[in-house]
Amino acid sequence: PTPTVTAAPTPTPTAVAVAPTVAKPDPATAAVGIGGVNATNGLSSSSVRNALGHAPFQKCYRDAVAASAGPLQGTGTLRVSISETGHIVGASFSGAFPASMKGCVEAAARAVSVKNVDTGEATANVTLSFTHK
């Protein structure tokens, strides 16, 4: 009898999923923009914008970018409560950002005062945008 020879099966190539590499943004290119301001009780939107322009939001954002694994951009809403003397006594920041960044933004807002507050206690909703250049 003649021996039977069988060929070994050819292995089928398998696809391997490779996660796309996302370049980590440079914290130095992180920018914060103060957008729309909606103030209550006769408080000037420009007074709120000017005060918040001195808050160290950019440091909060740069620190969050440095700690993140990938891009961290978007828009959030900062709601502030302002006393009759102009001090920001309450701040709440909402948006899809890490909790550490939210806490930092809130603390930064509470560190500034709004000038020309003569209408008593007021609140303001402020849009903050966070981008990389």
Side-chain angles (χ1 to χ4, degrees):
T2 309
T4 307
V5 177
T6 54
T10 305
T12 307
T14 56
V16 177
V18 177
T21 57
V22 178
K24 187 169 176 148
D26 179 3
T29 66
V32 180
I34 299 174
V37 177
N38 182 6
T40 65
N41 204 15
L43 181 62
S44 153
S45 295
S46 61
S47 292
V48 174
R49 185 185 318 280
N50 289 340
L52 292 177
H54 297 288
F57 297 136
Q58 192 152 348
K59 180 182 180 337
C60 297
Y61 186 37
R62 285 182 176 173
D63 290 350
V65 168
S68 73
L72 182 65
Q73 307 190 79
T75 312
T77 301
L78 176 65
R79 179 173 173 80
V80 293
S81 300
I82 304 156
S83 73
E84 60 217 13
T85 58
H87 290 89
I88 295 180
V89 294
S92 175
F93 181 62
S94 61
F97 297 100
S100 60
M101 181 176 149
K102 289 180 181 181
C104 183
V105 166
E106 292 165 356
R110 287 190 300 269
V112 298
S113 293
V114 180
K115 294 182 180 178
N116 304 321
V117 177
D118 55 6
T119 59
E121 295 179 4
T123 60
N125 290 324
V126 183
T127 301
L128 299 177
S129 59
F130 300 87
T131 57
H132 295 288
K133 296 182 179 177

